[in-house]
């Protein structure tokens, strides 16, 4: 089973960038470090090493070979971490199934990826039961029998159960060398239009993303250092862009890792406290939920560093987090980019910043991480001025971008127009190279010949003390083309009028921060805002509802 | 002149790991940051960018093409930094000439590397004048006319002068893409036996070394962080292993960089003070010289972080440095390894360590940086026990090791026996993965069937308050095979007897730290110790002298 080295370097001393190479240091240096699942199961890195080998042996027994695809439906767990390593290290491809998609979409993605083996956590038995006859490529089902979860009645023919498979397998596996450009992972983007599209990353890409992001996180903002003394817990699901690649970094660093299972805000806060979590990452809506839950009221968050990504970090949320002692800042990227492209940073020489300036800097899209070639361009691919005002689309090159969408040449060609990956994010860049996204291309509001940034207006409204959440969308207007409408969720018990919200925004237009066109024409109070399967505002849905 | 992409990845979206990719971020983020030469010349990163392009255009005019070799004889300077980028980014090879070698050796290395262009600083006119008729491949000589240096009479036919060439050249250059495995640099090791041997590194190797070392330096010892707020000055010459690759890291970070020209201890201390230098690296003998110079007496070193490499960091020197407020620690590597393999680290949870334990940890060879596969093996390539006592040779694999010696297949094969690079360093490793080199294979003292670590005895003697420097070597002994002899340089004015030094070492044997066989049989007081061209103890020479 030892594949030949096919890589680029013809020398017998070639060192391919394979995921297994990330493991040279942590297993030697941190064999006794802990990995915790839901506060209930604890194991060491030494055990992780064994279980990775057991998983590979188990999968080999099931017929998994170089190029096979193994799909996983699980919550965030130590098992997922094991799959992150064992499956690609065998030369197989790991498909991380987005369990928040519809049943039809889940079936579509598993078929499209050609998965041969499917891991199914007990909680997803109903979904798999209902789609199992549509699955065209899966020939082996492996049950993940979660202690405490009750299995529903089903007719899925499981070949084995995850723990039983590991129990029966040998504790060492000779992971082979092969071409570093071998596909390691695939997962599907959750666009709001059309079918999910598969993106995919190679061993080389994941290794380079891991090491370069480690380097980038060492910049001189206390909160941006992810280091050997941290305790890590992801709060973006492991099925989504490898939880931003952070579990790979956490493992290389040899830190204590905490996997929370299904996200239940009160339980997450409890884990942060009980396990001493110091480093996490999430979308802003998850942080908002978490800070609003009962357990959060008396929790101490003062040692917690959080990167917010997957969308803008509203100034109001940033300020609320800073008030709770959270070291919060923005990371930017997308599914197609592995994902991280940039990080917000404070100036290297820490001078006393006023709070407003600090909030502004922490919420910025930030500075590209090393090796990332970011350009902000107009429609002719010409660079815009670095004046903090001109805007254009962010296009990028880096060693870790999906080379296209799986089996979708049209969408791939569109993604990669002109030799750069097009993010569809509109941004400006200032003279210091600090980037600020102002909108998604499709969310930008075009009013009276001006482009209004929905994100900026949301951020300003979020600063109102009674506002819990807000989305700003454009609705058609005969005279202006489009006009901004704000959909606002108020904090429990708060009473605010539409005019008060408008006056709050208008105040910023008087200081010149925004134009008066940007003041929402309508402010509508709603009970909740529709989110996508990964917790982002579903603006397409909102636009349709409020058209 | 645009070379085609030949790299490993066939995709049009390939992103080869080329040195030019390191420059995407700093020139955007730090255009106004300073680069200082000898405290006299100051320029910005924006100027550096221009000068790199000018240098490439100038070299192109001189006929330098993909695969050409450009050799440099200069002190540490902004010009060297420019060469680090411009030459390989054109697809040419940079030869960093070791100017401390003998004239014959310098001629040999330039011929062996096949250099076509040779840069000559005014200070090296006498050397080049005397070897110019031996140079077989150089067809273009470029003079580096240092302001303030007086040129001797010579008959070298210079085509141009460095600054004049840059002045006459255009400020932009379209650096091409090419195979990331293209050779970028070459230089010659300064072994104490035989002819110098050439090692060489590719673009891919230098990029991976840069990024991974950046990541490794972010571990939670204050001193090990090399970050955007630092001010960098090298104290290992730029002709030697790219000054440990640190100028590449400094540039990616966008920090202020200070290049000192020729090393004059009092002037170095002055630069540290005047330019606010916070991060350097050197061999221990250089630090020793620096702390002993006049200017050091009243200097404030409390913000200075120093990595010591190229040999052991003696405990006495570490303690003296800590007393002066210097954040000192060990880095390990060699010319063949690009160079960094490991870094000393303190435990992540900083607890009050007693001074002795802290010194011990800072002086250890330390923990491998990510991606480095370090093994410590016996003669059969079997791993030794991780008990801190068993010893073996360090053998390594990593993505940045020379694939052999240039045009020297025999030495290359010996270097790479069994698929691992053999360091010839003898070490132990403890249960936490912390490595301690005890000797070079050839310096180990074999006495009465026991192996005595010359480095350990040196370290213990260095703790004596009257000892300035020490070397321990083995001399032949009929009864014991070899016996240790200590060559000691005392501090100015100190009076110590041979018996007092022996008693000092004997005290450690009584606590069980060393065996009594390790107490030197002879302690000889000398005025100075012979160093190699890169400032290491020349033990071969010392053994011959004191045989």
């Amino acid at each position: 089973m030892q594949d030949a080295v096919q890589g680029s370097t013809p020398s017998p001393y070639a060192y391919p960038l394979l995921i297994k190479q990330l493991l040279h240091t942590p297993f030697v240096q941190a064999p006794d470090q802990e990995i915790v699942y839901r506060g209930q199961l604890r194991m060491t890195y030494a055990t992780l090493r064994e279980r990775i080998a057991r998983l590979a042996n188990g999968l080999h027994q099931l017929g998994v070979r170089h190029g096979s695809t193994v799909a996983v439906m699980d919550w965030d767990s130590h098992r997922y971490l094991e799959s992150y390593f064992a499956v690609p290290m065998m030369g197989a491809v790991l498909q991380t199934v987005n369990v928040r998609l519809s049943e039809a979409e889940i079936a579509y993605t598993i078929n499209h990826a050609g998965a041969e083996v499917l891991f199914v956590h007990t909680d997803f038995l109903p979904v798999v039961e209902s789609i199992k006859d549509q699955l065209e490529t899966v020939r082996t089902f492996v049950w993940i029998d979660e202690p405490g979860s009750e299995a529903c009645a089903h007719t899925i023919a499981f070949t084995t159960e995850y723990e039983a498979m590991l129990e029966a397998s040998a504790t060492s596996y000779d992971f082979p060398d092969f071409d570093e450009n071998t596909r390691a992972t695939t997962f599907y983007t959750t666009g709001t239009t059309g079918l999910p599209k598969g993106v995919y990353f190679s061993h080389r890409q994941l290794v380079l993303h891991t090491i370069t992001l480690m380097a980038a996180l060492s910049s001189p903002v206390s909160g941006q250092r992810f280091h050997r003394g941290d305790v890590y817990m992801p709060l973006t699901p492991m099925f989504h862009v490898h939880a931003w690649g952070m579990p790979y970094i956490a493992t290389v660093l040899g830190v204590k890792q905490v996997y929370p299972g299904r996200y239940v805000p009160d339980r997450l806060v409890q884990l942060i406290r009980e396990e001493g979590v110091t480093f996490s990452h999430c979308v802003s809506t998850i942080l908002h939920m978490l800070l609003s839950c009962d357990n959060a009221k008396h929790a101490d968050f003062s040692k917690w560093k959080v990167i917010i990504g997957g969308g803008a970090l509203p100034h109001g949320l940033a300020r609320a987090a800073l008030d709770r002692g959270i070291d919060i800042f923005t990371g930017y990227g997308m599914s197609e980019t592995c994902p991280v492209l940039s990080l917000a940073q404070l100036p290297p020489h820490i001078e006393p910043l006023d709070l407003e300036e600090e909030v502004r800097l922490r919420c910025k899209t930030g500075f590209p991480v090393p090796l990332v070639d970011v350009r902000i361009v107009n429609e002719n691919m010409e660079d815009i001025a670095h004046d903090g005002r001109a805007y254009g689309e962010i296009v990028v090159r880096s060693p870790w971008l999906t080379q296209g969408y799986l089996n979708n040449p049209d969408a791939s060609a569109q993604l990669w127009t002109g030799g750069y990956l097009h993010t569809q994010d509109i941004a400006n860049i200032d003279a210091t190279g600090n980037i600020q996204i102002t909108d998604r291309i499709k969310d930008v509001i075009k009013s009276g010949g001006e482009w209004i940034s929905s994100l900026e207006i949301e951020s300003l409204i979020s600063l109102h003390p009674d506002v819990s959440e807000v989305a700003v969308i454009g609705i058609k207007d005969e005279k202006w083309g489009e006009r901004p409408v704000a959909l606002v969720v108020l904090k429990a018990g708060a009473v605010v009028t539409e005019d008060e919200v408008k006056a709050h925004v208008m105040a910023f237009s008087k200081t010149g921060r925004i134009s008066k066109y940007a003041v929402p024409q309508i402010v509508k109070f709603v009970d909740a805002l529709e989110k996508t399967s990964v917790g982002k505002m579903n603006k397409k849905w909102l636009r349709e509802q409020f058209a």
Side-chain angles (χ1 to χ4, degrees), chain A residues 212-358:
Chain A
T212 311
L213 194 53
M214 276 180 76
L217 285 168
S218 69
S219 65
V221 183
S222 62
Q224 296 196 23
R225 280 183 77 199
F226 184 18
H227 61 64
R228 287 194 303 144
D230 276 316
V231 176
Y232 167 69
M233 180 167 79
L235 289 171
T236 53
M238 294 179 82
F239 64 70
H240 184 58
V241 217
H242 333 99
W244 301 1
M246 296 292 179
Y248 287 118
I249 299 181
T251 305
V252 175
L253 286 170
V255 301
K256 177 174 169 184
Q257 303 183 44
V258 180
Y259 290 94
R262 188 172 185 164
Y263 294 174
V264 180
D266 278 310
R267 215 167 59 198
L268 295 174
V269 173
Q270 190 186 342
L271 279 173
I272 292 169
R273 190 183 68 236
E274 289 179 359
E275 302 296 342
V277 172
T278 62
F279 187 81
S280 296
H281 46 83
C282 59
V283 294
S284 58
T285 46
I286 294 273
L287 181 65
H288 180 265
M289 270 168 52
L290 208 141
L291 292 180
S292 312
C293 76
D294 280 349
N295 272 350
K297 287 198 184 85
H298 305 291
D300 173 10
F301 292 117
S302 66
K303 289 186 178 157
W304 196 34
K305 300 174 279 187
V306 179
I307 308 184
I308 299 293
L313 167 55
H315 286 202
L317 181 61
R319 189 169 284 196
L322 285 172
D323 283 347
R324 296 299 305 267
I326 300 171
D327 193 344
I328 190 170
F329 54 97
T330 301
Y332 166 60
M334 49 201 284
S335 299
E336 288 81 351
T337 64
C338 200
V340 181
L341 296 173
S342 77
L343 294 168
Q345 293 186 6
L346 300 184
H349 298 289
I350 311 274
E351 289 148 25
L353 290 171
D354 74 37
L355 181 63
E356 194 174 337
E357 177 65 1
E358 182 168 342

Side-chain angles (χ1 to χ4, degrees), chain A residues 101-209:
Chain A
L101 294 179
S102 70
E103 291 180 355
E105 286 173 322
I106 289 175
Y108 169 81
T109 65
I110 294 172
N111 287 334
H112 191 264
E116 297 167 32
V117 176
L118 178 62
F119 291 177
V120 185
H121 179 285
T122 300
D123 286 354
F124 306 114
L125 289 176
V127 176
V128 176
E129 173 68 12
S130 88
I131 64 171
K132 70 175 195 302
D133 295 335
Q134 300 165 45
L135 298 179
E136 296 157 11
T137 57
V138 176
R139 48 173 178 68
T140 309
F141 292 86
V142 176
W143 180 27
I144 296 174
D145 179 15
E146 177 85 85
S149 289
E150 194 139 336
C152 66
H154 68 82
T155 60
I156 307 161
F158 284 113
T159 303
T160 181
E161 191 280 326
Y162 189 89
E163 286 301 325
M165 176 173 74
L166 264 59
E167 183 77 20
S169 299
T171 58
S172 76
Y173 188 97
D174 190 14
F175 290 104
D177 275 5
F178 43 75
D179 186 337
E180 66 189 27
N181 295 305
T182 300
R183 189 177 304 172
T185 61
T186 192
F187 57 88
Y188 286 74
T189 61
T190 53
T192 45
T193 52
L195 286 166
K197 295 194 288 284
V199 295
Y200 53 97
F201 299 96
S202 68
H203 282 255
R204 171 183 163 108
Q205 293 184 307
L206 286 166
V207 169
L208 289 172
H209 183 270

Side-chain angles (χ1 to χ4, degrees), chain A residues 43-55:
Chain A
M43 63 188 222
T44 65
Y45 274 47
T47 305
L48 173 66
R49 175 182 221 166
E50 263 188 33
R51 286 173 58 94
I52 288 171
R54 286 180 186 271
L55 176 53

Side-chain angles (χ1 to χ4, degrees), chain A residues 375-378 391-395 422-427 441:
Chain A
R375 295 174 58 200
I376 306 182
V377 298
N378 65 20
Y391 52 81
E393 185 186 4
I394 299 179
V395 299
H422 287 248
T423 65
Q424 300 201 41
D425 285 315
I426 301 296
I441 280 185

